[in-house]
Structure formats: C-alpha cells, structure tokens
Amino acid sequence: MASVPQQIAEEIATRLTAVTVANGYNVTVSGVVRSPRIWTGHPKDYQVIVTLEDVVRNEELTHPGNPPAVAFDLPVVLTGELRPSESASTPIDDLRHTFAADIIKGISTPAASWHNWGGLAINTAIDDVRPYESDELTGVQVRMTVTYRVSETDPYTVRA
Amino acid sequence: MTLKDSIESDAASVFLSSDEFAESVTYLPRSGGSRTILAVVDREPPTLLDSAGNVISLSFVVYVHNDATTGISSSEVNTGGDKVQLHAKLGDAAVRTVSIVQMIDNDFGMVQLGLK
C-alpha cells in the first residue's frame, strides 16, 4: 500500500498530465517528473517537477481518540520548467504566469475533489507562485500545502 | 597562418582527437536535425537541478570545436532547447539525452557547454 503523501503526489501528477492545449489550456505539459534519487531525465520546456517537502504535524486539526487521528501539513512544490528559445521575445514573466495559471487550473480539475485529492486529504491551499531563476534554468514554482489526517498507529489509514 | 587560425586548427586536430580524450556525441539543435561530432566530455558529479532542492540530475561539461560542421558554432547554440546525446557513464551501451543549459565559454577554437 502506498503512503498517503505518495498517493497525493500521484494524484497531482495524474491531473497535471491532463494539462494540454487540446484540453483547453494555454500550454501543454511536456512531462511530469517525480524524481528518483538520481534523475536521468533532462530539463524540458513545460515540464513539471513534483516535490514533497518536510511533513509537519498540525496540532489544531489533530483529533483525540483511540487511536488518535493525527493531522499533518505536507508542503508540495510544483516546479514548472521553461526553456524558451534565446530568440523568443515573449516576456518571461508572461510565460511564467500563464504556466502557473495552467498548473493551478490543472490540479484543481475536477474542482469538487481537488482540495482533498479524492478523499486523501482534508484541505489544500495554494501558498504562493514565485519565479525561479538560476544560471542554468528558469521557470515558475507553485507552492501549496496539503493537510491530511491519518490514524496515529496506522499512517496508511486516512481519517476523516 | 595567424594565431587565430592555429588555435582553431589545434582545437579540431589536437584537443578533439578521438585517439586521445574526445568521443562521439550527437548534437540535436532546437531547430531540428542532428549531427555527430567529437567532444571532450567531463562527467561531473550529479547536482541539484532545481531550487525545490531535492532533484539530483546528471551533470556534464562538454568541449567542442567552435564550428557549425565539425562541432557546435557558438552562434548557433540555443540554451532554450538544444540537446546532446551521450553516454552518461563510459562503457554504457545506452545513450542519454541531456539539455544544453549553459554556454560556459567560447573562443575562436572551442565552445564549453554545461549540460543537465
């Protein structure tokens, strides 16, 4: 059985693969990466890397019981790579914001189940959208926090 | 022969000799097509790919002739889509496709490229 964070990451990745021009978006996601220890792929235009950061216990949403239902906040970072041609004249900020908007729209579709990822979580909030830029890469990051609750003694069991 | 001519000639015949350290790689320009060229490949330790901090990717530096036929001309390098196919480890049967993410240096003889 997959852990709850793994199932959430897989659901996010599945939704991102549906981001295509043919489906009504402005861009087509060229790939969704969940990296092994050493990734052997390569940067691509409109590729999204899904990364999970440190899980932090959420005391406010933890419920007593036997066993207790323990809530956690799971920060998720969606890094959208952009590799426009050196001769492209479109402002990089425009590319970033369009890509970010499509990423958010993509993970929010269908809207009824996006915040709980089909029953895996109790809430999701988009935290921020920020550009990222290095000597080698450029793109945009969409950061969000997924809050999920599991049985204290069986973290594979989702608790309402 | 000028010094500039000598440098360019040495780049092709000395530094990029397949009898020494050069090997065949395939250059894939963003604009399409491909060509097999000689390159000296430095296989660097894997490095962080993105600022999220937990994607470790293969990393290479290649040195090629600054020439649009026998190497890669510095004027044609497009870090927004050019790729190279090479062996990630010497002895690997399979080739890996990596992106040219940075032109580190270029002079009359050679072009130095960062790949991930």
Side-chain angles (χ1 to χ4, degrees):
Chain A
M1 177 186 291
S3 68
V4 173
Q6 179 183 338
Q7 292 181 67
I8 291 169
E10 288 170 349
E11 175 64 20
I12 291 168
T14 298
R15 290 180 179 224
L16 286 169
T17 58
V19 176
T20 64
V21 171
N23 285 343
Y25 294 87
N26 285 302
V27 306
T28 294
V29 168
S30 61
V32 180
V33 175
R34 296 197 58 237
S35 179
R37 187 171 75 87
I38 297 178
W39 181 47
T40 55
H42 61 95
K44 290 180 194 168
D45 214 13
Y46 294 112
Q47 182 168 254
V48 182
I49 299 171
V50 179
T51 49
L52 308 180
E53 296 194 333
D54 297 349
V55 174
V56 178
R57 183 171 168 130
N58 183 321
E59 292 294 348
E60 187 180 350
L61 294 172
T62 293
H63 289 172
N66 186 20
V70 184
F72 294 97
D73 290 330
L74 169 67
V76 179
V77 181
L78 308 177
T79 303
E81 298 169 7
L82 289 167
R83 302 196 69 223
S85 171
E86 291 183 8
S87 60
S89 57
T90 305
I92 190 69
D93 283 344
D94 293 355
L95 296 175
R96 285 189 179 118
H97 283 286
T98 299
F99 195 13
D102 271 353
I103 287 172
I104 292 169
K105 183 180 173 185
I107 60 173
S108 305
T109 304
S113 59
W114 96 272
H115 69 288
N116 65 8
W117 307 106
L120 294 167
I122 54 179
N123 194 32
T124 300
I126 303 290
D127 297 322
D128 56 29
V129 174
R130 60 178 74 165
Y132 87 89
E133 186 76 55
S134 69
D135 291 342
E136 301 170 338
L137 296 171
T138 189
V140 66
Q141 288 187 327
V142 176
R143 291 173 173 266
M144 60 186 178
T145 300
V146 179
T147 303
Y148 66 96
R149 195 159 42 210
V150 293
S151 177
E152 184 178 60
T153 54
D154 180 6
Y156 293 98
T157 300
V158 174
R159 295 277 292 273
Chain B
M1 178 180 275
T2 65
L3 175 61
K4 190 190 299 182
D5 294 334
S6 297
I7 291 171
E8 187 172 358
S9 173
D10 284 355
S13 61
V14 178
F15 293 110
L16 292 167
S17 168
S18 57
D19 290 335
E20 296 180 22
F21 296 111
E23 59 191 272
S24 289
V25 302
T26 303
Y27 172 54
L28 305 165
R30 178 189 172 102
S31 55
S34 67
R35 63 175 174 269
T36 301
I37 59 174
L38 287 173
V40 175
V41 180
D42 276 354
R43 293 169 173 83
E44 306 271 306
T47 55
L48 283 172
L49 174 69
D50 72 276
S51 56
N54 55 1
V55 175
I56 306 292
S57 76
L58 301 174
S59 187
F60 306 88
V61 174
V62 298
Y63 302 79
V64 297
H65 189 199
N66 190 348
D67 185 278
T69 304
T70 60
I72 303 173
S73 164
S74 54
S75 63
E76 70 178 323
V77 172
N78 188 341
T79 56
D82 287 0
K83 291 174 283 196
V84 171
Q85 289 179 327
L86 47 70
H87 296 282
K89 295 177 184 172
L90 286 175
D92 274 359
V95 293
R96 299 272 186 202
T97 300
V98 290
S99 295
I100 296 176
V101 294
Q102 190 177 31
M103 183 155 65
I104 299 167
D105 192 16
N106 68 103
D107 58 34
F108 291 110
M110 308 280 281
V111 177
Q112 184 182 2
L113 301 166
L115 276 57
K116 280 185 181 287

